[in-house]
Amino acid sequence: MTAGVIFGPLPGTVIVSLSGTLAATIAFLIARYAARDKIMKVAGRNKRFAAIDRAISRNGLKFVTLLRLSPLLPLAFSNYLYGLTSVELGPYVLGSWLGMLPGTYAYVAAGHVGKAVLSEGEGGLGVENWQVGLALGATAIALGFVGRLAKQAVEEADKEALQEQQAEAAAKQAAQQQQHVQVRVPLPEQTDSLH
């Protein structure tokens, strides 16, 4: 909001957007290089986590952008959380910038309007119905996408686990059958080759 008061809505949005994206990227990199290996040692054994991580990495840009649009996940926490996933840096930065831009503009514009109200007694701070609808719609889309992505990842992990169990059972069954079957190799008959 302060950027809106000092710089105005557009320049303030640019400054806050670049600063916020840089800060988010730094937190992402800290989590990625300081904690990811340790987390993956523990979580990597969990097939569901691994499947969700793969799904996030395949849809990184969309995933990050939509979650950034939703106010449900705190930004500071999510910066570190994304660093623990397989999201690549480029899609993370672009998704963070795009997803945080509408909220950034709203806060900066509110600061600018607040300055106008205090200094000139003009303007209003009311929220329009379309703004509330847009925010709720963006949140619903983000939750729907993330929920579908998580469901697909869990189903994929369950399918992989079932395939592994079936392969292990087939291997055990083959080993048991091999123990019970005695292979009889006929010995060649000795013939008198001196005839």
Side-chain angles (χ1 to χ4, degrees):
M1 289 187 166
T2 304
V5 172
I6 297 172
F7 303 109
L10 292 179
T13 298
V14 170
I15 292 168
V16 172
S17 180
L18 293 176
S19 302
T21 303
L22 179 62
T25 302
I26 291 169
F28 173 88
L29 292 172
I30 289 170
R32 171 68 46 97
Y33 294 108
R36 178 159 168 80
D37 291 340
K38 294 173 189 166
I39 297 294
M40 287 308 294
K41 284 180 185 175
V42 176
R45 293 186 292 253
N46 184 320
K47 293 182 190 303
R48 286 186 176 189
F49 175 83
I52 290 171
D53 189 39
R54 282 192 307 273
I56 290 171
S57 70
R58 282 193 302 260
N59 298 292
L61 176 65
K62 203 184 303 184
F63 186 85
V64 172
T65 303
L66 289 173
L67 276 182
R68 291 291 194 196
L69 286 171
S70 171
L72 297 178
L73 190 60
L75 290 178
F77 173 72
S78 66
N79 296 332
Y80 293 103
L81 180 67
Y82 294 130
L84 299 177
T85 68
S86 296
V87 173
E88 293 181 14
L89 181 61
Y92 170 78
V93 172
L94 181 59
S96 291
W97 178 72
L98 289 172
M100 292 188 299
L101 194 57
T104 299
Y105 178 76
Y107 279 112
V108 171
H112 181 71
V113 169
K115 175 185 174 187
V117 167
L118 291 175
S119 64
E120 301 167 13
E122 300 174 5
L125 297 175
V127 176
E128 300 290 328
N129 289 336
W130 69 268
Q131 293 169 322
V132 173
L134 183 63
L136 291 174
T139 299
I141 289 170
L143 290 176
F145 174 75
V146 170
R148 190 175 76 238
L149 183 67
K151 181 181 176 194
Q152 288 172 348
V154 168
E155 287 172 355
E156 180 183 310
D158 289 344
K159 183 178 177 183
E160 288 176 6
L162 180 62
Q163 289 172 345
E164 285 179 14
Q165 289 173 353
Q166 289 172 341
E168 288 174 8
K172 284 181 183 179
Q173 185 177 13
Q176 289 174 349
Q177 287 176 349
Q178 196 173 29
Q179 287 177 353
H180 293 298
V181 175
Q182 293 179 354
V183 178
R184 294 186 184 198
V185 179
L187 296 173
E189 291 183 28
Q190 289 186 348
T191 55
D192 197 7
S193 58
L194 297 174
H195 289 358

